[in-house]
Amino acid sequence: EAGVVQSPRYKIIEKKQPVAFWCNPISGHNTLYWYLQNLGQGPELLIRYENEEAVDDSQLPKDRFSAERLKGVDSTLKIQPAELGDSAVYLCASSSGYEQYFGPGTRLTVT
Amino acid sequence: GNSVTQMEGPVTLSEEAFLTINCTYTATGYPSLFWYVQYPGEGLQLLLKATKADDKGSNKGFEATYRKETTSFHLEKGSVQVSDSAVYFCARASQGGKLIFGHGTELSVKP
């Protein structure tokens, strides 16, 4: 069974540029999560989807971050414009019950 | 603030040594508790879980017991191997299935 797929694995951009991350969850998993992991910290939830509906986006900085999951499967997370402080690992996870399965993450470096 | 607290790392042990990584949580009620492991360059993997008080989760020689009296979920292993070197995250379930993570504890096992 394929796991959660994320791309790209690494991204380096200059500040003020836009960036997008893509996630393909495990087949059949209706719930999708985006987490932010700063260096030396645990992941923190940015947004949670149930199918195509964002049911918890309270921690998403909406002035510059946006996300979508149009058909209830793949999801994209976008930052525009990126700031130096956005340098972190962005993790996607999916679940069909209690257990969350995580992708390898996208490591973003903003210079 | 963060409601999951882990012991500070890094923890350095010799092979075959006994491991304990402390984790305490704050919560209303009795949430499910988890230990995730992150190997270098990889995503988070669920190591073990406990869904109610006094449950013991176990996997790959690791164990953790859900102690409601002390609100703890300490991770233990009787004999660590070099391949156990990784970052370990304690987490608790929150509203809507969201996970709240501790800061992570880096374990380094030397041969």
Side-chain angles (χ1 to χ4, degrees):
Chain A
E1 177 183 275
V4 176
V5 179
Q6 289 188 248
S7 69
R9 290 294 308 274
Y10 305 91
K11 187 74 176 177
I12 301 174
I13 61 171
E14 294 183 347
K15 62 182 180 181
K16 300 185 182 180
Q17 295 301 306
V19 64
F21 315 125
W22 175 80
C23 173
N24 178 240
I26 292 173
S27 178
H29 283 192
N30 296 328
T31 308
L32 184 146
Y33 308 80
W34 283 102
Y35 286 87
L36 166 68
Q37 185 178 18
N38 286 305
L39 185 65
Q41 304 290 318
E44 298 178 1
L45 182 71
L46 288 172
I47 190 168
R48 174 171 68 94
Y49 282 93
E50 293 290 345
N51 298 302
E52 65 273 11
E53 182 181 1
V55 295
D56 184 356
D57 63 357
S58 58
Q59 301 303 310
L60 189 73
K62 299 181 185 62
D63 57 335
R64 298 184 299 109
F65 286 66
S66 63
E68 60 183 14
R69 193 185 184 199
L70 291 175
K71 296 183 179 179
V73 181
D74 294 0
S75 177
T76 56
L77 177 68
K78 298 178 182 178
I79 309 175
Q80 182 170 10
E83 297 178 352
L84 294 176
D86 296 330
S87 295
V89 176
Y90 293 82
L91 296 169
C92 180
S94 70
S95 73
S96 63
Y98 251 124
E99 184 171 339
Q100 293 185 27
Y101 296 84
F102 284 80
T106 297
R107 182 176 295 279
L108 173 67
T109 302
V110 182
T111 62
Chain B
N2 198 326
S3 59
V4 176
T5 303
Q6 292 182 231
M7 66 186 285
E8 293 291 328
V11 173
T12 302
L13 297 173
S14 297
E15 207 165 21
E16 300 184 1
F18 183 85
L19 168 72
T20 300
I21 299 178
N22 291 339
C23 172
T24 57
Y25 67 91
T26 57
T28 302
Y30 304 108
S32 294
L33 302 173
F34 307 85
W35 276 100
Y36 279 80
V37 58
Q38 188 172 35
Y39 297 103
E42 299 184 15
L44 276 76
Q45 302 174 25
L46 179 64
L47 180 60
L48 54 84
K49 66 182 179 184
T51 58
K52 61 183 187 294
D54 300 325
D55 264 3
K56 177 185 284 188
S58 62
N59 185 27
K60 299 181 181 179
F62 290 89
E63 293 184 341
T65 300
Y66 192 142
R67 304 282 189 199
K68 65 178 181 180
E69 301 84 3
T70 53
T71 60
S72 64
F73 193 55
H74 304 324
L75 183 68
E76 296 181 338
K77 186 174 186 181
S79 176
V80 294
Q81 305 301 311
V82 172
S83 57
D84 293 327
S85 297
V87 180
Y88 293 81
F89 292 91
C90 185
R92 73 163 180 86
S94 184
Q95 185 179 2
K98 160 183 160 180
L99 292 175
I100 297 177
F101 288 87
H103 287 184
T105 301
E106 181 181 358
L107 171 66
S108 178
V109 180
K110 306 298 185 185

